[in-house]
């Protein structure tokens, strides 16, 4: 079996496991629980509701974000599903509407019309990119996948006329020998490029909880974080296994007269089920965006327990 076939065989296995959720546009419930994924809705502003208010004659919950390539008639359509590993590639895609044609009008979400999030199926290789439209609803972005494997590509979009924000996902294959990276053990402190980021708080299945990430450098708190995507931090969480997608922004925003530019960035998040999650914090300082990563277990041991936060359990701060 050649190396490309090895990744192909792995992809076939994924199709068997996750095919009911990906690619067919039907709702799929969260793994290991019944709580809904707190995700995107409305105009992309902080504090919008999750996906629980969607229609349907039986008022069925929406699937967790990122598990479907199609939702509400909109489909993520890559021009190619194969990218050579280790090479910069011009990745192109469209978001096709209910009429089957590429959508050309999108609402701004945190300053961008389209966000592209990439992670390997083992939760390594995280990237957050912002494509450029080249005309006719075709989007392009330089992509380099570091090694062979199966990658999940997510788009955060809200097409004009769509009632809510959508997170669509599809698998992209980088041919070669597949070498999965074990999920790192939970740690309270992540180090990146000379910075330390400390995580306070945790995830509780089906309940909104507070997460605070505190940034320091050379042992000193960073108090001059720079706005990035209309906030002082940007947080994505992916569930191990199916890569269900949870995406939140901080409590407060630059210029609101209350939110300080560090060292702490506070988020409110709701995990849809128990299990392991990988958290990715993007923050900007010194003109550069860096990503700090954490492993967090919801509903299980693995990260030292924190005192419960009062007053927010019934008000999820997600979008």
């Amino acid at each position: 079996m050649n190396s490309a076939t090895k990744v192909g065989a792995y992809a076939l296995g994924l199709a068997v496991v996750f095919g009911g959720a990906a690619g067919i546009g039907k709702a799929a419930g969260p793994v290991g629980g019944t709580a809904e994924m707190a995700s995107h809705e409305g105009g992309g502003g902080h504090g919008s509701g999750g996906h629980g208010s969607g229609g349907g004659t039986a008022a069925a919950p929406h699937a967790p974000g990122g598990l479907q390539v199609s939702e509400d008639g909109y489909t993520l359509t890559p021009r190619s599903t194969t990218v050579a590993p280790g090479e910069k590639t011009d990745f192109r895609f469209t978001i096709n509407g209910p009429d089957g044609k590429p959508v050309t009008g999108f609402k701004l979400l945190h300053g961008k019309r389209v966000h592209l999030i990439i992670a390997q199926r083992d939760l390594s290789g995280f990237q957050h990119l912002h494509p450029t439209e080249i005309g006719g609803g075709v989007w392009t972005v330089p992509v380099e996948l570091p090694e062979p494997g199966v990658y999940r590509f997510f788009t955060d979009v809200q097409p004009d006329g769509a009632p809510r924000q959508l997170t669509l996902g599809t698998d992209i294959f980088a041919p070669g020998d597949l070498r999965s990276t074990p999920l790192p053990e939970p740690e309270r402190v992540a180090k990146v490029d000379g910075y330390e980021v400390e995580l306070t708080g945790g995830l509780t299945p089906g309940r909104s909880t507070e997460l605070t990430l505190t940034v320091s450098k050379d042992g000193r708190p960073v108090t001059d974080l720079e706005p990035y995507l209309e906030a002082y931090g940007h947080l994505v969480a992916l569930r191990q296994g199916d890569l269900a997608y949870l995406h939140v922004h901080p409590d407060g925003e630059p210029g609101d007269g209350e939110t300080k530019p560090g060292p702490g960035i506070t988020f409110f998040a709701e995990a849809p089920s128990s299990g392991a999650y990988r958290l990715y914090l993007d923050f900007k300082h010194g003109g550069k965006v860096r990503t700090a990563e954490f492993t967090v277990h919801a509903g299980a041991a693995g990260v030292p327990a924190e005192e419960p936060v009062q007053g927010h359990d019934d008000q999820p701060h997600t979008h």
Side-chain angles (χ1 to χ4, degrees):
M1 182 183 294
N2 61 35
S3 59
T5 304
K6 293 177 183 177
V7 170
Y10 176 71
L12 179 60
L14 287 175
V16 172
V17 176
F18 303 119
I24 60 175
K26 295 184 178 179
V31 173
T34 58
E36 296 169 27
M37 171 67 78
S39 189
H40 306 291
E41 189 167 339
H46 176 72
S48 300
H51 281 186
S53 59
T57 56
H62 288 279
L67 294 183
Q68 302 176 135
V69 71
S70 296
E71 191 170 2
D72 292 354
Y74 296 92
T75 303
L76 169 58
T77 308
R79 290 295 177 90
S80 174
T81 57
T82 301
V83 172
E87 299 179 11
K88 187 160 287 188
T89 301
D90 179 20
F91 181 75
R92 298 188 178 193
F93 64 94
T94 59
I95 305 295
N96 293 346
D99 59 0
K101 298 179 180 179
V103 175
T104 57
F106 295 88
K107 296 183 183 299
L108 286 176
L109 302 173
H110 304 283
K112 302 291 183 179
R113 292 196 293 159
V114 175
H115 298 258
L116 178 67
I117 305 292
I118 300 173
Q120 199 166 345
R121 276 284 179 180
D122 62 11
L123 298 176
S124 65
F126 176 85
Q127 301 180 49
H128 183 171
L129 307 174
H130 299 111
T132 301
E133 188 182 13
I134 58 175
V138 178
W139 294 84
T140 181
V141 63
V143 167
E144 183 172 346
L145 303 182
E147 58 187 24
V150 182
Y151 292 77
R152 193 69 174 170
F153 280 45
F154 304 91
T155 53
D156 275 337
V157 295
Q158 186 171 0
D160 289 345
R164 59 193 178 89
Q165 188 172 342
L166 303 173
T167 301
L168 305 176
T170 192
D171 283 342
I172 300 296
F173 309 101
D177 286 322
L178 179 64
R179 296 182 177 87
S180 295
T181 301
L183 186 68
E185 291 296 319
E187 297 284 352
R188 280 285 170 195
V189 177
K191 298 181 179 181
V192 54
D193 198 16
Y195 292 79
E196 290 190 349
V197 182
E198 183 177 3
L199 169 65
T200 304
L203 295 175
T204 301
R207 178 181 175 186
S208 179
T209 53
E210 181 176 311
L211 301 170
T212 298
L213 296 114
T214 303
V215 183
S216 62
K217 190 175 191 299
D218 299 325
R220 299 179 179 178
V222 174
T223 58
D224 57 347
L225 292 171
E226 299 164 29
Y228 173 62
L229 300 178
E230 303 177 341
Y232 286 125
H234 183 279
L235 185 66
V236 169
L238 299 178
R239 183 171 59 191
Q240 185 183 39
D242 59 359
L243 273 67
Y245 181 105
L246 173 64
H247 181 173
V248 296
H249 278 264
D251 186 37
E253 60 186 25
D256 64 6
E258 298 180 357
T259 304
K260 297 180 180 179
I265 315 169
T266 298
F267 301 83
F268 293 90
E270 182 176 345
S273 69
S274 60
Y277 293 78
R278 190 69 170 164
L279 274 57
Y280 310 88
L281 172 72
D282 289 334
F283 65 95
K284 186 176 182 181
H285 189 247
K288 182 179 178 180
V289 177
R290 297 166 175 86
T291 303
E293 302 185 15
F294 300 84
T295 298
V296 175
H297 288 274
V303 178
E306 297 290 335
E307 292 297 323
V309 176
Q310 302 296 324
H312 292 286
D313 295 340
D314 59 346
Q315 297 293 331
H317 290 245
T318 61
H319 77 278

